[in-house]
Amino acid sequence: MTEIHSKERIRWACRRGMLELDVLFMPFVEDAFDALSAEQKAAFQRLLEADDPDLFAWFMGHQECNDAELKAMVKLILDRVRV
């Protein structure tokens, strides 16, 4: 799969059932995804496989993710949003 198709798939996966998640994911993909390392891109793609309620809890700080890579990706996205 080419990079363009892959990025389109990722954009599509960023469209969630919760507006709060869309507001986090869509700008991150547009502005920061291309600069991620291969490992970070893989972690982001795994993050997108999580259920919306879990994602919401992680991003809102109601719950902590047990997966270190996903937890780091949540922090990276939140840090980017806060800038």
Coordinates of all heavy atoms in Angstrom, one line a residue:
M1 N 0.8 -1.2 0.0 CA 0.0 0.0 0.0 C 0.9 1.2 0.0 O 1.8 1.3 0.7 CB -0.9 0.0 1.2 CG -1.8 1.1 1.3 SD -3.0 1.0 2.7 CE -3.9 -0.4 2.3
T2 N 0.5 2.2 -0.8 CA 1.3 3.4 -0.9 C 1.1 4.3 0.3 O 0.1 4.2 1.0 CB 1.0 4.2 -2.2 OG1 -0.3 4.7 -2.1 CG2 1.2 3.4 -3.4
E3 N 2.0 5.2 0.6 CA 1.8 6.2 1.7 C 0.6 7.0 1.6 O -0.1 7.2 2.6 CB 3.1 7.1 1.7 CG 3.1 8.0 2.9 CD 3.3 7.3 4.2 OE1 3.9 6.2 4.3 OE2 2.8 7.8 5.3
I4 N 0.2 7.4 0.4 CA -1.0 8.2 0.3 C -2.3 7.4 0.7 O -3.1 7.9 1.4 CB -1.2 8.7 -1.2 CG1 -0.1 9.7 -1.5 CG2 -2.5 9.3 -1.4 CD1 0.0 10.1 -2.9
H5 N -2.4 6.2 0.2 CA -3.5 5.3 0.6 C -3.5 5.1 2.1 O -4.6 5.1 2.7 CB -3.5 4.0 -0.2 CG -3.8 4.2 -1.7 ND1 -4.9 4.7 -2.2 CD2 -2.9 4.0 -2.7 CE1 -4.9 4.8 -3.5 NE2 -3.7 4.4 -3.8
S6 N -2.3 4.8 2.6 CA -2.2 4.6 4.0 C -2.7 5.8 4.8 O -3.5 5.6 5.8 CB -0.8 4.2 4.4 OG -0.7 4.0 5.8
K7 N -2.3 7.0 4.5 CA -2.7 8.2 5.2 C -4.2 8.4 5.0 O -4.9 8.8 6.0 CB -1.9 9.4 4.7 CG -2.2 10.6 5.4 CD -1.0 11.3 5.9 CE -1.3 12.6 6.7 NZ -0.5 13.6 6.5
E8 N -4.7 8.1 3.9 CA -6.2 8.2 3.7 C -6.9 7.3 4.6 O -8.0 7.6 5.2 CB -6.6 8.0 2.2 CG -6.2 9.1 1.3 CD -6.8 10.4 1.7 OE1 -8.0 10.5 2.1 OE2 -6.1 11.4 1.6
R9 N -6.4 6.1 4.8 CA -7.0 5.1 5.7 C -7.0 5.6 7.1 O -7.9 5.5 7.9 CB -6.3 3.8 5.6 CG -7.2 2.6 5.2 CD -6.4 1.3 5.1 NE -6.0 0.8 6.4 CZ -4.8 0.5 6.7 NH1 -3.8 0.5 5.8 NH2 -4.5 0.1 7.9
I10 N -5.8 6.2 7.5 CA -5.7 6.7 8.8 C -6.6 7.9 9.1 O -7.3 8.0 10.1 CB -4.2 7.2 9.1 CG1 -3.3 5.9 9.1 CG2 -4.1 8.0 10.3 CD1 -1.9 6.1 9.0
R11 N -6.7 8.8 8.1 CA -7.7 9.9 8.2 C -9.1 9.3 8.4 O -9.9 9.9 9.3 CB -7.7 10.8 7.0 CG -6.6 11.7 6.9 CD -6.8 12.7 5.7 NE -5.6 13.5 5.5 CZ -4.8 13.4 4.4 NH1 -5.1 12.5 3.5 NH2 -3.8 14.1 4.3
W12 N -9.5 8.3 7.7 CA -10.8 7.7 7.8 C -11.0 7.1 9.2 O -12.0 7.3 9.9 CB -11.0 6.7 6.7 CG -12.4 6.1 6.8 CD1 -12.7 4.8 7.3 CD2 -13.6 6.7 6.4 NE1 -14.1 4.7 7.2 CE2 -14.6 5.8 6.7 CE3 -13.9 7.9 5.9 CZ2 -16.0 6.1 6.5 CZ3 -15.3 8.2 5.6 CH2 -16.3 7.3 5.9
A13 N -9.9 6.5 9.7 CA -10.0 5.8 11.1 C -10.1 6.9 12.2 O -10.6 6.6 13.3 CB -8.8 4.9 11.3
C14 N -9.6 8.1 11.9 CA -9.7 9.2 12.9 C -11.1 9.7 13.0 O -11.4 10.4 14.0 CB -8.8 10.3 12.5 SG -7.0 9.9 12.8
R15 N -12.0 9.4 12.1 CA -13.4 9.9 12.2 C -14.1 9.0 13.2 O -14.3 7.8 13.0 CB -14.0 9.9 10.9 CG -13.4 10.8 9.9 CD -14.0 10.8 8.6 NE -15.4 11.3 8.7 CZ -16.3 11.1 7.8 NH1 -16.1 10.3 6.8 NH2 -17.5 11.6 8.0
R16 N -14.3 9.5 14.4 CA -14.8 8.7 15.5 C -16.3 9.0 15.7 O -16.9 9.9 15.1 CB -14.0 9.0 16.8 CG -12.5 8.9 16.6 CD -12.1 7.6 16.1 NE -12.3 6.5 17.1 CZ -11.6 5.4 17.1 NH1 -10.6 5.2 16.3 NH2 -11.8 4.5 18.0
G17 N -16.9 8.3 16.7 CA -18.3 8.6 17.1 C -18.4 9.7 18.1 O -19.5 10.1 18.5
M18 N -17.3 10.2 18.6 CA -17.3 11.3 19.6 C -16.5 12.5 19.0 O -15.4 12.4 18.6 CB -16.5 10.8 20.8 CG -17.2 9.7 21.6 SD -16.2 9.4 23.0 CE -17.5 8.9 24.2
L19 N -17.2 13.6 19.0 CA -16.6 14.8 18.5 C -15.3 15.2 19.2 O -14.3 15.7 18.6 CB -17.6 16.0 18.6 CG -17.1 17.4 18.2 CD1 -16.7 17.3 16.7 CD2 -18.1 18.4 18.4
E20 N -15.3 14.9 20.5 CA -14.1 15.2 21.3 C -12.8 14.5 20.8 O -11.7 15.1 20.8 CB -14.3 14.8 22.8 CG -15.4 15.6 23.5 CD -16.8 15.0 23.4 OE1 -17.0 14.1 22.5 OE2 -17.7 15.4 24.1
L21 N -13.0 13.3 20.3 CA -11.9 12.5 19.7 C -11.5 13.0 18.3 O -10.4 13.1 18.0 CB -12.2 11.0 19.7 CG -12.4 10.4 21.1 CD1 -12.9 8.9 20.9 CD2 -11.2 10.5 22.0
D22 N -12.6 13.4 17.6 CA -12.3 13.9 16.2 C -11.4 15.2 16.3 O -10.5 15.4 15.5 CB -13.6 14.3 15.5 CG -14.4 13.1 15.1 OD1 -13.9 12.0 15.1 OD2 -15.6 13.3 14.7
V23 N -11.8 16.0 17.3 CA -11.1 17.3 17.5 C -9.6 17.1 17.9 O -8.7 17.9 17.6 CB -11.8 18.1 18.6 CG1 -11.0 19.3 19.0 CG2 -13.1 18.6 18.1
L24 N -9.3 16.0 18.5 CA -7.9 15.6 18.9 C -7.2 15.0 17.7 O -6.1 15.3 17.3 CB -7.9 14.7 20.0 CG -8.3 15.2 21.4 CD1 -8.4 14.1 22.4 CD2 -7.2 16.2 21.9
F25 N -7.8 14.0 17.1 CA -7.2 13.2 16.1 C -7.0 13.9 14.7 O -5.9 13.8 14.1 CB -7.9 11.9 15.8 CG -7.8 10.9 16.9 CD1 -8.9 10.0 17.2 CD2 -6.7 10.8 17.7 CE1 -8.8 9.1 18.3 CE2 -6.6 9.9 18.7 CZ -7.6 9.0 19.0
M26 N -8.0 14.5 14.2 CA -7.9 15.1 12.8 C -6.8 16.1 12.7 O -5.9 16.0 11.8 CB -9.2 15.6 12.4 CG -10.3 14.6 12.3 SD -9.9 13.2 11.2 CE -10.0 14.0 9.6
P27 N -6.7 17.1 13.6 CA -5.5 18.0 13.4 C -4.2 17.3 13.6 O -3.2 17.7 13.0 CB -5.8 19.1 14.5 CG -7.2 18.9 14.9 CD -7.6 17.5 14.6
F28 N -4.1 16.4 14.5 CA -2.9 15.7 14.8 C -2.4 15.0 13.5 O -1.2 15.0 13.1 CB -3.0 14.7 15.9 CG -1.7 13.9 16.2 CD1 -0.7 14.6 17.0 CD2 -1.5 12.7 15.8 CE1 0.4 13.9 17.3 CE2 -0.4 12.0 16.1 CZ 0.6 12.6 16.8
V29 N -3.3 14.3 12.8 CA -2.9 13.6 11.6 C -2.5 14.6 10.5 O -1.5 14.4 9.8 CB -4.1 12.7 11.1 CG1 -3.8 12.2 9.7 CG2 -4.3 11.5 12.0
E30 N -3.2 15.7 10.4 CA -2.9 16.7 9.4 C -1.5 17.4 9.7 O -0.8 17.6 8.7 CB -4.0 17.7 9.2 CG -5.3 17.1 8.7 CD -5.1 16.4 7.4 OE1 -4.4 16.9 6.5 OE2 -5.8 15.4 7.2
D31 N -1.3 17.7 10.9 CA -0.1 18.5 11.3 C 1.1 17.7 11.7 O 2.2 18.3 11.6 CB -0.5 19.5 12.3 CG -1.6 20.4 11.9 OD1 -1.8 20.6 10.7 OD2 -2.4 20.9 12.8
A32 N 0.9 16.6 12.3 CA 2.1 15.9 13.0 C 2.4 14.5 12.5 O 3.5 14.0 12.7 CB 1.8 15.9 14.5
F33 N 1.4 13.8 11.9 CA 1.6 12.4 11.6 C 2.8 12.1 10.7 O 3.6 11.2 11.0 CB 0.3 11.8 11.0 CG 0.4 10.3 10.7 CD1 0.3 9.4 11.7 CD2 0.7 9.9 9.4 CE1 0.4 8.1 11.5 CE2 0.8 8.5 9.2 CZ 0.7 7.6 10.2
D34 N 3.0 12.9 9.7 CA 4.1 12.7 8.8 C 5.5 12.7 9.4 O 6.4 12.1 9.0 CB 4.1 13.6 7.6 CG 2.9 13.4 6.7 OD1 2.4 12.2 6.7 OD2 2.4 14.3 6.0
A35 N 5.6 13.5 10.5 CA 6.9 13.7 11.2 C 7.2 12.6 12.2 O 8.3 12.5 12.8 CB 6.9 15.1 11.9
L36 N 6.2 11.7 12.5 CA 6.4 10.6 13.5 C 7.4 9.6 13.0 O 7.5 9.4 11.7 CB 5.1 10.0 13.8 CG 4.0 10.8 14.4 CD1 2.7 9.9 14.6 CD2 4.4 11.4 15.7
S37 N 8.0 8.9 13.9 CA 8.9 7.8 13.5 C 8.0 6.6 13.1 O 6.8 6.7 13.4 CB 9.8 7.4 14.7 OG 9.0 6.8 15.7
A38 N 8.6 5.6 12.5 CA 7.8 4.4 12.1 C 7.2 3.8 13.3 O 6.0 3.3 13.3 CB 8.7 3.5 11.4
E39 N 7.9 3.8 14.4 CA 7.3 3.2 15.7 C 6.1 4.0 16.2 O 5.1 3.4 16.6 CB 8.4 3.0 16.8 CG 9.5 2.1 16.4 CD 10.6 2.7 15.5 OE1 10.6 3.9 15.3 OE2 11.3 1.9 14.9
Q40 N 6.3 5.3 16.1 CA 5.2 6.2 16.6 C 4.0 6.0 15.7 O 2.8 6.0 16.2 CB 5.6 7.6 16.7 CG 6.6 7.9 17.8 CD 7.2 9.3 17.7 OE1 7.5 9.8 16.7 NE2 7.2 10.0 18.9
K41 N 4.2 5.9 14.4 CA 3.1 5.8 13.4 C 2.4 4.5 13.7 O 1.1 4.4 13.7 CB 3.6 5.8 12.0 CG 4.0 7.1 11.5 CD 4.5 7.1 10.1 CE 4.9 8.5 9.6 NZ 5.3 8.5 8.3
A42 N 3.1 3.4 14.0 CA 2.5 2.1 14.4 C 1.7 2.2 15.7 O 0.6 1.7 15.8 CB 3.6 1.0 14.5
A43 N 2.2 2.9 16.6 CA 1.5 3.1 17.9 C 0.3 3.9 17.7 O -0.8 3.6 18.3 CB 2.4 3.8 18.9
F44 N 0.3 4.9 16.9 CA -0.9 5.7 16.6 C -1.9 4.9 15.9 O -3.1 5.0 16.2 CB -0.5 6.9 15.7 CG -1.7 7.8 15.5 CD1 -2.2 8.6 16.5 CD2 -2.3 7.9 14.2 CE1 -3.3 9.5 16.2 CE2 -3.4 8.7 14.0 CZ -3.9 9.5 15.0
Q45 N -1.5 4.0 15.0 CA -2.5 3.2 14.3 C -3.1 2.2 15.3 O -4.3 1.9 15.2 CB -1.8 2.4 13.1 CG -1.5 3.4 12.0 CD -0.7 2.8 10.9 OE1 0.0 1.8 11.0 NE2 -0.8 3.4 9.7
R46 N -2.3 1.7 16.2 CA -2.9 0.8 17.3 C -3.8 1.6 18.2 O -4.9 1.0 18.6 CB -1.8 0.2 18.1 CG -1.1 -1.0 17.4 CD -0.3 -1.9 18.4 NE 0.5 -1.2 19.4 CZ 0.3 -1.3 20.7 NH1 -0.7 -2.0 21.1 NH2 1.1 -0.6 21.6
L47 N -3.5 2.8 18.4 CA -4.4 3.7 19.3 C -5.7 3.8 18.6 O -6.8 3.7 19.3 CB -3.7 5.0 19.5 CG -4.4 6.0 20.4 CD1 -4.4 5.5 21.9 CD2 -3.9 7.4 20.3
L48 N -5.8 3.9 17.3 CA -7.0 4.1 16.6 C -7.9 2.8 16.6 O -9.1 2.9 16.4 CB -6.8 4.5 15.1 CG -6.2 5.9 14.9 CD1 -5.9 6.1 13.5 CD2 -7.1 7.0 15.5
E49 N -7.3 1.7 17.0 CA -8.1 0.5 17.1 C -8.8 0.3 18.4 O -9.7 -0.5 18.6 CB -7.1 -0.7 16.9 CG -6.5 -0.8 15.5 CD -5.5 -1.9 15.4 OE1 -5.2 -2.6 16.4 OE2 -4.9 -2.0 14.3
A50 N -8.5 1.2 19.4 CA -9.1 1.2 20.7 C -10.6 1.7 20.6 O -10.9 2.4 19.7 CB -8.3 2.0 21.7
D51 N -11.4 1.3 21.6 CA -12.8 1.7 21.6 C -12.9 3.2 22.0 O -12.1 3.6 22.9 CB -13.6 0.8 22.6 CG -13.7 -0.6 22.1 OD1 -13.7 -0.8 20.9 OD2 -13.7 -1.5 23.0
D52 N -13.9 3.9 21.5 CA -14.1 5.3 21.8 C -14.2 5.5 23.3 O -13.5 6.5 23.8 CB -15.3 5.8 21.1 CG -15.0 6.1 19.6 OD1 -13.9 5.8 19.2 OD2 -16.0 6.5 19.0
P53 N -14.9 4.8 24.1 CA -15.0 5.0 25.6 C -13.6 5.0 26.2 O -13.3 5.8 27.1 CB -15.9 4.0 26.1 CG -16.8 3.6 24.9 CD -15.9 3.7 23.8
D54 N -12.8 4.0 25.8 CA -11.4 3.9 26.4 C -10.6 5.1 26.0 O -9.9 5.7 26.8 CB -10.7 2.6 25.9 CG -11.3 1.4 26.5 OD1 -11.9 1.5 27.7 OD2 -11.3 0.3 25.9
L55 N -10.6 5.5 24.7 CA -9.9 6.6 24.2 C -10.3 7.9 25.0 O -9.5 8.7 25.4 CB -10.1 6.8 22.7 CG -9.5 5.8 21.8 CD1 -10.0 5.9 20.4 CD2 -7.9 5.9 21.9
F56 N -11.6 8.1 25.1 CA -12.1 9.3 25.8 C -11.6 9.3 27.3 O -11.1 10.3 27.7 CB -13.6 9.3 25.8 CG -14.2 10.5 26.4 CD1 -14.3 11.7 25.7 CD2 -14.7 10.4 27.7 CE1 -14.8 12.8 26.3 CE2 -15.3 11.6 28.3 CZ -15.3 12.7 27.6
A57 N -11.6 8.2 27.9 CA -11.1 8.1 29.3 C -9.7 8.4 29.4 O -9.2 9.1 30.3 CB -11.5 6.7 29.9
W58 N -8.9 7.9 28.5 CA -7.4 8.2 28.5 C -7.1 9.6 28.2 O -6.3 10.2 28.9 CB -6.7 7.3 27.4 CG -6.8 5.8 27.7 CD1 -7.1 5.2 28.8 CD2 -6.7 4.8 26.7 NE1 -7.2 3.8 28.6 CE2 -6.9 3.6 27.3 CE3 -6.4 4.8 25.3 CZ2 -6.8 2.3 26.6 CZ3 -6.3 3.6 24.6 CH2 -6.5 2.4 25.3
F59 N -7.8 10.2 27.2 CA -7.5 11.6 26.9 C -8.0 12.6 27.9 O -7.5 13.7 28.0 CB -8.0 11.9 25.5 CG -7.2 11.4 24.4 CD1 -7.5 10.3 23.7 CD2 -6.0 12.1 24.0 CE1 -6.6 9.8 22.6 CE2 -5.2 11.7 23.0 CZ -5.5 10.5 22.3
M60 N -9.1 12.2 28.6 CA -9.7 13.2 29.6 C -9.0 13.0 30.9 O -9.3 13.7 31.9 CB -11.2 13.0 29.7 CG -11.9 13.3 28.4 SD -11.6 15.0 27.9 CE -11.1 14.8 26.2
G61 N -8.2 11.9 31.1 CA -7.5 11.7 32.3 C -8.3 11.0 33.3 O -7.9 10.9 34.5
H62 N -9.4 10.4 32.9 CA -10.2 9.6 33.8 C -9.7 8.2 34.1 O -10.0 7.6 35.1 CB -11.7 9.4 33.3 CG -12.4 10.7 33.0 ND1 -12.6 11.6 34.0 CD2 -12.8 11.3 31.8 CE1 -13.2 12.7 33.5 NE2 -13.3 12.5 32.2
Q63 N -8.8 7.7 33.2 CA -8.3 6.4 33.3 C -6.9 6.4 32.7 O -6.6 7.2 31.8 CB -9.2 5.4 32.5 CG -8.9 4.0 32.7 CD -10.0 3.2 32.0 OE1 -10.8 3.7 31.2 NE2 -9.9 1.9 32.2
E64 N -6.0 5.6 33.1 CA -4.7 5.5 32.5 C -4.6 4.3 31.7 O -5.0 3.2 32.0 CB -3.6 5.5 33.7 CG -2.2 5.7 33.2 CD -1.3 5.9 34.3 OE1 -1.4 6.9 35.1 OE2 -0.4 5.1 34.5
C65 N -4.0 4.4 30.5 CA -3.8 3.3 29.6 C -2.6 2.4 30.1 O -1.6 2.9 30.6 CB -3.4 3.9 28.2 SG -3.1 2.6 27.0
N66 N -2.8 1.1 30.1 CA -1.8 0.2 30.6 C -0.7 -0.1 29.6 O 0.3 -0.6 30.0 CB -2.5 -1.1 31.0 CG -3.4 -0.9 32.2 OD1 -3.2 -0.1 33.1 ND2 -4.5 -1.7 32.2
D67 N -1.0 0.2 28.4 CA 0.0 0.0 27.3 C 1.0 1.2 27.2 O 0.5 2.3 26.9 CB -0.7 -0.3 26.0 CG 0.2 -0.6 24.8 OD1 1.1 0.2 24.5 OD2 0.0 -1.6 24.2
A68 N 2.2 1.0 27.5 CA 3.2 2.1 27.5 C 3.3 2.8 26.2 O 3.4 4.1 26.2 CB 4.6 1.5 27.9
E69 N 3.3 2.1 25.1 CA 3.4 2.8 23.8 C 2.1 3.7 23.5 O 2.2 4.8 23.0 CB 3.5 1.8 22.6 CG 4.9 1.3 22.5 CD 5.0 0.4 21.3 OE1 4.0 -0.2 20.8 OE2 6.1 0.2 20.8
L70 N 1.0 3.1 23.8 CA -0.3 3.9 23.6 C -0.3 5.1 24.6 O -0.8 6.2 24.2 CB -1.5 3.0 23.8 CG -1.6 1.9 22.8 CD1 -2.9 1.1 22.9 CD2 -1.4 2.3 21.3
K71 N 0.1 4.8 25.8 CA 0.1 5.9 26.8 C 1.0 7.1 26.3 O 0.7 8.2 26.5 CB 0.6 5.3 28.1 CG 0.6 6.3 29.3 CD 1.0 5.6 30.6 CE 1.1 6.6 31.7 NZ 1.5 5.9 33.0
A72 N 2.2 6.7 25.8 CA 3.1 7.7 25.3 C 2.5 8.5 24.1 O 2.6 9.7 24.0 CB 4.4 7.1 24.8
M73 N 1.7 7.8 23.2 CA 1.1 8.4 22.1 C 0.0 9.4 22.6 O -0.2 10.5 22.1 CB 0.5 7.4 21.2 CG -0.1 8.0 19.9 SD 1.0 9.0 18.9 CE 2.4 8.0 18.6
V74 N -0.8 9.0 23.6 CA -1.8 9.9 24.2 C -1.2 11.1 24.7 O -1.6 12.2 24.4 CB -2.6 9.1 25.3 CG1 -3.5 10.1 26.1 CG2 -3.5 8.0 24.7
K75 N -0.1 11.0 25.4 CA 0.7 12.1 25.9 C 1.2 13.0 24.8 O 1.0 14.3 24.9 CB 1.8 11.7 26.8 CG 2.6 12.8 27.5 CD 3.7 12.4 28.3 CE 4.5 13.5 29.0 NZ 4.5 14.8 28.4
L76 N 1.7 12.4 23.8 CA 2.2 13.2 22.6 C 1.1 14.0 22.0 O 1.3 15.2 21.7 CB 2.8 12.3 21.6 CG 3.4 12.9 20.3 CD1 4.6 13.7 20.7 CD2 3.7 11.9 19.3
I77 N -0.1 13.4 21.8 CA -1.2 14.1 21.2 C -1.7 15.3 22.1 O -1.9 16.4 21.7 CB -2.3 13.1 20.9 CG1 -1.9 12.2 19.7 CG2 -3.6 13.9 20.4 CD1 -2.8 11.0 19.5
L78 N -1.8 15.0 23.4 CA -2.3 16.0 24.3 C -1.3 17.1 24.4 O -1.7 18.3 24.5 CB -2.5 15.4 25.7 CG -3.8 14.5 25.8 CD1 -3.8 13.8 27.2 CD2 -5.0 15.3 25.6
D79 N 0.0 16.8 24.5 CA 1.0 17.9 24.5 C 1.0 18.8 23.3 O 1.1 20.0 23.4 CB 2.4 17.3 24.6 CG 2.7 16.7 26.0 OD1 1.9 16.9 27.0 OD2 3.7 15.9 26.1
R80 N 0.7 18.2 22.2 CA 0.6 18.9 20.9 C -0.6 19.8 20.9 O -0.6 21.0 20.4 CB 0.5 18.0 19.7 CG 0.5 18.7 18.4 CD 1.2 17.9 17.4 NE 1.2 18.5 16.1 CZ 2.1 19.4 15.7 NH1 3.1 19.7 16.4 NH2 2.0 20.0 14.5
V81 N -1.7 19.3 21.5 CA -3.0 20.1 21.6 C -2.8 21.3 22.5 O -3.3 22.4 22.3 CB -4.1 19.3 22.0 CG1 -5.4 20.1 22.3 CG2 -4.5 18.2 20.9
R82 N -2.0 21.1 23.6 CA -1.9 22.2 24.6 C -0.9 23.3 24.1 O -0.9 24.3 24.7 CB -1.3 21.5 25.9 CG -2.3 20.7 26.6 CD -1.8 20.1 27.9 NE -2.7 19.2 28.4 CZ -2.4 18.0 28.9 NH1 -1.1 17.7 29.0 NH2 -3.3 17.2 29.4
V83 N -0.2 23.1 23.1 CA 0.8 24.1 22.7 C 0.1 25.2 22.0 O -0.9 25.2 21.5 CB 1.8 23.5 21.7 CG1 2.7 24.5 21.0 CG2 2.6 22.5 22.4

